[in-house]
Amino acid sequence: MTIAQSLKLVRGQLNDMQTRGFEVKALTSNGQYARIFEEEEGVKVLHVEMEREIALKKDLESLFACIRLIRKEKPDIVNAGTPKAGLIVSLAAYYCRVPVRIYNVLGLRLETTTGVKRQILLMAEKIAAASSTHLLAVSPSLKQQIVELGIAPAEKIRILGHGSVNGFDLKRFELDKAMKARVDEKRAAYGWTDEHIVLGSMGRITKDKGIDETVRAFLELAGRYPNLRLLLVGDYESADAVSKKTLETITEHPHIVHEDHQLDPVPFYHLMDLFLFLTKREGFGNVSAEAALTGIPVVAANVTGARDTLVDGETGYLVDPDDHAGVLAKLEMLIQNLELRERLGSAGQEWVRQYFSNEALWEEMDSYYQTCLMERSGVLEEA
C-alpha cells in the first residue's frame, strides 16, 4: 500500500493468510498506523517511502528502493494495491521477476481527472497492469471500467466473491451492550435525543467524496426539518479541498458535527439514521456497506464501485450525485418515513452479511493465490 493508513483496508487478512501457511509481510511508507498494524496483525511491515501524488524524482527513488527490498525478500507473490504502490511495486516486482505479480485495483483516480493528468494516470494504470501477471478488481463496475479504458483485458481480471477489498468483520458492527453504551455516551455529548434524525457521511472531507453536495443537501433539508442533524466523520485534505463556503458551514453550523478520522468508526454509524454517500468514484464503497451493516438505509451515488454496495430500491437508493433535486427527493422520502428506513436498513444489513463477510473473501483469496501459483509453477521453479 502507498501509505500506512491504507493497511486498515486489509485488517485481518494478512494474519489469516499466515494461518493458512503463507509467510506474509506488508510493504508501505512509514507512518504511525504501520506500527499499530504490525502489532495487531502479527506481521512484519517493511517500508519504502512513496508519494501519493505525481513526483517523478521521488517516484524513481521509491522504485529503486523497492527493487532493492524485493531482491532481498525474494517473494513468490506480490499483491500491490492503491495507485502509486500499484505502479511502483508492480514495476519493481516485474524487474525482479517475481513469479506471481498481482495488481489489486482498489479504484481509478483518473475517473475524476481531465487533460494531461488523466493521460498520465491512465498510462500509469496500463504500465502497472502490463507489469503484472494477474489483476484483481474489487467490484464488477470497476472491472468494467478497467476493460473499457483499455487498461487490461477482461480475461486477466478477477473479482473475488461479490467484490470488496477485504470483506467485513460482521461482529464488529453488532450493537451489543458495550457498543450501545458508547453510542449513548456520544449521543448525549452531542445533545441529540431520539427526536433527532441524523444524516451521516463517513470518509475524507474532499470534493471527490461529494462533501460539497452533502452539505448543500443538508442545508436545504434542515430548513424544512428542524430536527435534522448532520454527522461528518473524516479528515480534511488540501489536495482535493472542499469549497471555502462548505468549510465555513461545517465549522460554524450549530447542527453539524464533524469528527476527524476514527480508527473505530462503528459507534458513529450507530448514531446515524440514514447514510449519504455522494462520492464521484470508488473501487468498492466500503463505507456504504459498513453503514448498511449497522442497519441504516443508504443513499449512494450511482458511480463506479459505489453502485455495487446496495440493491437499488431494496436496500437503499442509487442517485446521480449531480442531480440535487433527485438526491433531496430520496432523502426527504426517508426522513418522512420511519417504516421505510427500517425496512431498507434491515434488508441492507442482511444483504451485506450474506455476501461480504471477511471469511468468505479470505477463503476466495487463499484459493486465488493457490491458483496463481499453479499457473506460474514453471516460472516459480526457474526463479
Side-chain angles (χ1 to χ4, degrees):
M1 302 287 190
T2 306
I3 62 171
Q5 195 163 299
S6 294
L7 289 172
K8 72 179 186 295
L9 296 172
V10 291
R11 183 185 289 159
Q13 183 185 128
L14 277 62
N15 181 267
D16 181 79
M17 289 300 124
Q18 286 193 136
T19 67
R20 297 172 186 267
F22 292 93
E23 178 189 351
V24 187
K25 293 182 182 179
L27 169 62
T28 186
S29 301
N30 239 313
Q32 184 178 359
Y33 186 72
R35 292 186 291 276
I36 297 172
F37 185 83
E38 196 169 50
E39 292 175 9
E40 289 181 346
E41 204 75 5
V43 300
K44 177 67 176 175
V45 179
L46 308 171
H47 298 289
V48 168
E49 294 305 311
M50 291 177 275
E51 294 286 327
R52 290 182 69 185
E53 300 302 320
I54 298 168
L56 186 58
K57 182 175 181 293
K58 290 184 179 179
D59 292 343
L60 286 171
E61 291 172 355
S62 300
L63 175 62
F64 294 137
C66 197
I67 289 171
R68 289 193 295 271
L69 188 144
I70 289 176
R71 278 178 168 170
K72 177 183 175 184
E73 295 292 331
K74 297 182 176 62
D76 301 309
I77 302 172
V78 165
N79 182 339
T82 67
K84 186 60 73 72
L87 174 63
I88 289 173
V89 180
S90 294
L91 266 175
Y94 171 79
Y95 183 83
C96 296
R97 295 300 187 266
V98 175
V100 178
R101 307 183 296 276
I102 300 168
Y103 178 27
N104 196 346
V105 189
L106 310 183
L108 294 171
R109 289 186 65 194
L110 63 90
E111 283 196 79
T112 51
T113 60
T114 57
V116 175
K117 185 174 183 179
R118 181 182 175 88
Q119 294 306 312
I120 291 171
L121 292 174
L122 178 58
M123 181 59 65
E125 293 291 344
K126 289 182 176 180
I127 292 170
S131 301
S132 304
T133 57
H134 303 75
L135 265 75
L136 282 174
V138 293
S139 67
S141 58
L142 180 61
K143 177 178 178 177
Q144 182 180 346
Q145 274 287 80
I146 294 168
V147 174
E148 289 179 357
L149 289 167
I151 294 169
E155 58 270 19
K156 191 175 181 177
I157 310 166
R158 171 84 180 272
I159 301 166
L160 300 183
H162 285 73
S164 85
V165 180
N166 192 40
F168 302 94
D169 180 355
L170 304 184
K171 290 183 179 179
R172 278 186 68 217
F173 295 87
E174 293 176 358
L175 188 61
D176 56 21
K177 188 176 180 180
M179 180 62 70
K180 188 175 186 307
R182 293 174 65 189
V183 173
D184 289 344
E185 182 181 351
K186 291 185 181 299
R187 183 178 284 113
Y190 298 148
W192 295 341
T193 70
D194 291 340
E195 299 300 315
H196 292 111
I197 297 174
V198 180
L199 173 65
S201 175
M202 185 82 63
R204 292 176 288 113
I205 309 298
T206 63
K207 286 182 179 179
D208 237 19
K209 295 297 182 182
I211 301 302
D212 287 324
E213 293 82 359
T214 296
V215 171
R216 180 187 173 197
F218 168 75
L219 288 176
E220 190 158 335
L221 290 168
R224 304 175 204 169
Y225 303 95
N227 63 332
L228 188 65
R229 300 292 183 266
L230 177 62
L231 174 59
L232 300 172
V233 182
D235 291 341
Y236 290 102
E237 288 197 5
S238 57
D240 184 34
V242 294
S243 70
K244 184 178 178 182
K245 181 181 178 182
T246 297
L247 177 59
E248 290 174 351
T249 302
I250 294 172
T251 305
E252 299 171 5
H253 199 287
H255 296 157
I256 296 178
V257 172
H258 170 243
E259 295 280 1
D260 292 333
H261 169 78
Q262 302 292 314
L263 282 177
D264 182 9
V266 178
F268 296 90
Y269 287 119
H270 281 293
L271 284 164
M272 302 171 188
D273 296 291
L274 58 156
F275 190 81
L276 183 59
F277 189 42
L278 296 182
T279 182
K280 301 298 191 296
R281 53 97 191 168
E282 294 290 322
F284 180 89
N286 279 343
V287 295
S288 178
E290 288 176 347
L293 277 172
T294 61
I296 58 175
V298 176
V299 176
N302 189 12
V303 298
T304 306
R307 67 171 61 102
D308 302 293
T309 62
L310 60 84
V311 181
D312 190 27
E314 295 182 26
T315 69
Y317 295 114
L318 292 174
V319 294
D320 179 348
D322 298 319
D323 178 10
H324 180 64
V327 172
L328 289 180
K330 288 293 190 289
L331 289 174
E332 196 156 20
M333 188 162 52
L334 288 166
I335 290 169
Q336 292 175 350
N337 194 331
L338 173 61
E339 183 181 343
L340 178 63
R341 293 203 303 270
E342 290 178 344
R343 177 166 57 81
L344 293 177
S346 178
Q349 185 178 48
E350 180 58 33
W351 185 72
V352 176
R353 290 181 69 88
Q354 182 177 356
Y355 293 114
F356 298 100
S357 69
N358 282 152
E359 291 78 12
L361 189 129
W362 295 343
E363 189 70 33
E364 290 267 352
M365 182 67 81
D366 179 33
S367 176
Y368 180 65
Y369 283 151
Q370 302 287 358
T371 300
C372 292
L373 286 169
M374 290 286 287
E375 290 175 354
R376 303 288 291 175
S377 58
V379 181
L380 188 61
E381 287 171 12
E382 289 175 16

